[in-house]
Amino acid sequence: KAGVTQTPRYLIKTRGQQVTLSCSPISGHRSVSWYQQTPGQGLQFLFEYFSETQRNKGNFPGRFSGRQFSNSRSEMNVSTLELGDSALYLCASSRLAQAESSYNEQFFGPGTRLTVL
Amino acid sequence: GNSVTQMEGPVTLSEEAFLTINCTYTATGYPSLFWYVQYPGEGLQLLLKATKADDKGSNKGFEATYRKETTSFHLEKGSVQVSDSAVYFCALSDRNSGNTPLVFGKGTRLSVIA
């Protein structure tokens, strides 16, 4: 069974640009969650999508947005990039929504390393 | 709100040494607790979990016991190997507090030297 895939793996952008990252979940998984990982803040939750609906959102500005398609693939978009957006962006898929089960295992992709210059 | 605190790293050990990584949590409900591991260049993998008090999670020689009285979930391994070098994250999921996402600690980097 194929794991979670994320594209691209590495990305370099300049301040003010926008970027779109893609995540393909494990087949049959309907929940996709996005996290930002930085050395200073650790892993921070961005948002979760389940069956094309945003179920939960972390404490990030509106420049961060996402969507999920009918095949459960998800994209996240960051507009007007800032230097502080440089991070590893991880997505995780699970069969159930996070709110439906507290022991619902999430499977993580390898991440997209975004560097903003 | 819910939070996880784990010991700061990095932790450097010799092969076959005993490992403990401390993790304590704050939760308003009755959370499930997890340890995830991140190897270089990879995403996170679930290492072990415990869903209620006094449960012991174990995998690949690692163990952690859910201690409600001390709100802790310390990770232990009796004899570490070089291949255990990675970043370890403690996390909690608290469905009873409503629609809250998985909450992670800041991670502890472990380096094992031969």
Side-chain angles (χ1 to χ4, degrees):
Chain A
K1 189 165 166 179
V4 178
T5 57
Q6 293 188 244
T7 57
R9 290 293 309 276
Y10 301 91
L11 207 46
I12 299 175
K13 292 286 188 179
T14 56
R15 276 180 298 175
Q17 287 187 308
Q18 75 164 18
V19 67
T20 299
L21 313 181
S22 180
C23 172
S24 292
I26 291 172
S27 177
H29 286 192
R30 293 161 63 195
S31 168
V32 173
S33 298
W34 288 90
Y35 297 85
Q36 181 194 65
Q37 185 179 16
T38 59
Q41 299 298 318
L43 274 156
Q44 293 186 282
F45 172 76
L46 280 154
F47 26 66
E48 179 194 9
Y49 285 87
F50 183 82
S51 293
E52 302 179 67
T53 301
Q54 188 180 86
R55 293 290 294 261
N56 205 351
K57 189 176 184 339
N59 190 25
F60 278 81
R63 301 185 296 107
F64 292 81
S65 62
R67 59 178 176 168
Q68 187 180 34
F69 302 95
S70 59
N71 62 357
S72 294
R73 189 177 71 84
S74 177
E75 290 181 347
M76 69 163 278
N77 185 77
V78 187
S79 62
T80 320
L81 283 166
E82 300 177 0
L83 294 179
D85 297 333
S86 294
L88 181 67
Y89 290 88
L90 293 166
C91 88
S93 78
S94 58
R95 193 171 56 84
L96 303 175
Q98 291 203 41
E100 291 180 24
S101 172
S102 58
Y103 35 86
N104 174 37
E105 181 178 351
Q106 292 190 48
F107 294 82
F108 284 79
T112 295
R113 171 80 57 190
L114 171 64
T115 302
V116 182
L117 302 176
Chain B
N2 297 335
S3 65
V4 174
T5 302
Q6 59 182 106
M7 62 188 285
E8 301 259 345
V11 174
T12 302
L13 295 173
S14 298
E15 211 166 20
E16 299 183 5
F18 184 85
L19 168 72
T20 300
I21 300 178
N22 290 338
C23 170
T24 57
Y25 67 89
T26 302
T28 53
Y30 299 94
S32 292
L33 301 173
F34 306 84
W35 277 100
Y36 280 84
V37 59
Q38 185 176 32
Y39 297 104
E42 299 183 14
L44 277 69
Q45 301 174 25
L46 180 64
L47 181 60
L48 54 84
K49 66 183 180 186
T51 58
K52 61 182 188 298
D54 299 325
D55 267 3
K56 177 187 280 189
S58 60
N59 186 26
K60 299 181 183 180
F62 291 89
E63 292 183 341
T65 301
Y66 187 163
R67 302 281 188 207
K68 187 168 179 288
E69 63 278 12
T70 54
T71 61
S72 64
F73 192 54
H74 305 322
L75 181 68
E76 296 182 336
K77 186 174 185 184
S79 176
V80 294
Q81 305 300 312
V82 172
S83 57
D84 294 327
S85 298
V87 182
Y88 293 81
F89 293 90
C90 186
L92 74 81
S93 175
D94 187 4
R95 183 169 66 98
N96 294 307
S97 291
N99 190 17
T100 55
L102 201 57
V103 175
F104 289 89
K106 293 209 168 181
T108 303
R109 181 176 299 279
L110 170 67
S111 295
V112 181
I113 53 178

